[in-house]
Amino acid sequence: GENVEQHPSTLSVQEGDSAVIKCTYSDSASNYFPWYKQELGKGPQLIIDIRSNVGEKKDQRIAVTLNKTAKHFSLHITETQPEDSAVYFCAATGNRDDKIIFGKGTRLHILP
Amino acid sequence: DSGVTQTPKHLITATGQRVTLRCSPRSGDLSVYWYQQSLDQGLQFLIQYYNGEERAKGNILERFSAQQFPDLHSELNLSSLELGDSALYFCASSVMMVPWSGYTFGSGTRLTVV
């Protein structure tokens, strides 16, 4: 079935260091991979996405990489700041492009 | 403000009751998706509507139903409520039928069943 695995479930990094969150997906037909950030009391917010025909995408301190062969994709946050503390979700489209399937989330703590 | 409006923000009700959650999508968006978020299950897809028609169904219980109206707002109806239905319910919208541009989420409805 369609599945997205995400790890770690919790990540603590020192302010200014980098954070990496990794995901795998099960369906080789998946072709769109968004990342969402959810702050306390709010809905998830799209922060970056990547299509299957692209291997890497960067937006300021955030970058995503995709390895279609291995069905892996990752989120990299550099020079972390206190406002980066949140829950991050990776996701992938299902095999019929009819929905987005989410990983279970990573709670990122930025330590002062 | 994301542009997706969900009401009510909080709902407390008793087991066995029925509730209706409402969602107004972002202006111009034709697709509406409903998700359930619980602590142990993460974000679970329930159902999608596109321009008034049901397009995809996830693990939605038979006690739950939804619809999208001509003005594109959507309602999620939950009946015969059980304690385990307590969760955050999110609505999201997108322009296209397929989610390639990503979703815009509302701020959710927190349902507590007592």
Side-chain angles (χ1 to χ4, degrees):
Chain A
E2 304 161 322
N3 191 40
V4 176
E5 298 283 342
Q6 180 172 353
H7 57 95
S9 56
T10 306
L11 178 62
S12 296
V13 300
Q14 212 69 39
E15 182 179 348
D17 288 350
S18 296
V20 180
I21 301 171
K22 298 184 178 183
C23 292
T24 60
Y25 60 98
S26 61
D27 198 320
S28 56
S30 296
N31 56 20
Y32 173 70
F33 306 89
W35 287 85
Y36 286 82
K37 175 183 180 183
Q38 187 176 23
E39 296 175 322
L40 197 61
K42 297 183 178 180
Q45 180 184 11
L46 179 67
I47 56 172
I48 196 167
D49 56 14
I50 192 168
R51 298 277 181 98
S52 60
N53 58 348
V54 175
E56 185 172 353
K57 183 177 178 180
K58 190 173 181 180
D59 182 4
Q60 299 183 339
R61 297 186 296 107
I62 294 174
V64 292
T65 59
L66 172 64
N67 182 331
K68 282 221 76 179
T69 304
K71 296 188 215 170
H72 290 171
F73 58 118
S74 301
L75 176 72
H76 304 251
I77 306 174
T78 58
E79 301 172 10
T80 53
Q81 299 169 3
E83 54 265 36
D84 295 330
S85 293
V87 178
Y88 291 81
F89 292 94
C90 63
T93 46
N95 57 13
R96 294 189 300 153
D97 279 339
D98 53 1
K99 59 186 173 291
I100 290 176
I101 302 159
F102 287 83
K104 292 205 172 182
T106 296
R107 185 172 297 278
L108 176 62
H109 299 277
I110 305 302
L111 307 172
Chain B
D1 180 10
S2 68
V4 178
T5 304
Q6 288 190 248
T7 56
K9 291 194 183 307
H10 303 277
L11 201 46
I12 301 175
T13 190
T15 54
Q17 294 299 304
R18 172 190 168 95
V19 296
T20 297
L21 313 183
R22 182 188 169 101
C23 169
S24 293
R26 200 177 52 166
S27 178
D29 286 358
L30 299 178
S31 275
V32 169
Y33 304 80
W34 285 97
Y35 279 80
Q36 181 191 57
Q37 185 176 39
S38 56
L39 279 173
D40 56 342
Q41 291 297 319
L43 280 157
Q44 296 289 309
F45 171 71
L46 296 177
I47 198 163
Q48 180 208 0
Y49 282 84
Y50 177 77
N51 205 20
E53 300 287 328
E54 180 186 305
R55 182 169 183 268
K57 233 173 181 178
N59 297 324
I60 187 167
L61 300 172
E62 285 191 12
R63 301 183 285 109
F64 295 1
S65 65
Q67 56 184 354
Q68 186 178 29
F69 295 86
D71 67 352
L72 301 177
H73 91 272
S74 178
E75 292 181 357
L76 178 67
N77 300 296
L78 315 177
S79 61
S80 303
L81 285 167
E82 302 175 359
L83 295 177
D85 298 327
S86 295
L88 264 170
Y89 290 83
F90 284 104
C91 164
S93 70
S94 67
V95 172
M96 300 189 293
M97 182 187 300
V98 292
W100 293 344
S101 58
Y103 298 156
T104 300
F105 278 88
S107 55
T109 293
R110 181 174 294 279
L111 174 66
T112 303
V113 182
V114 296

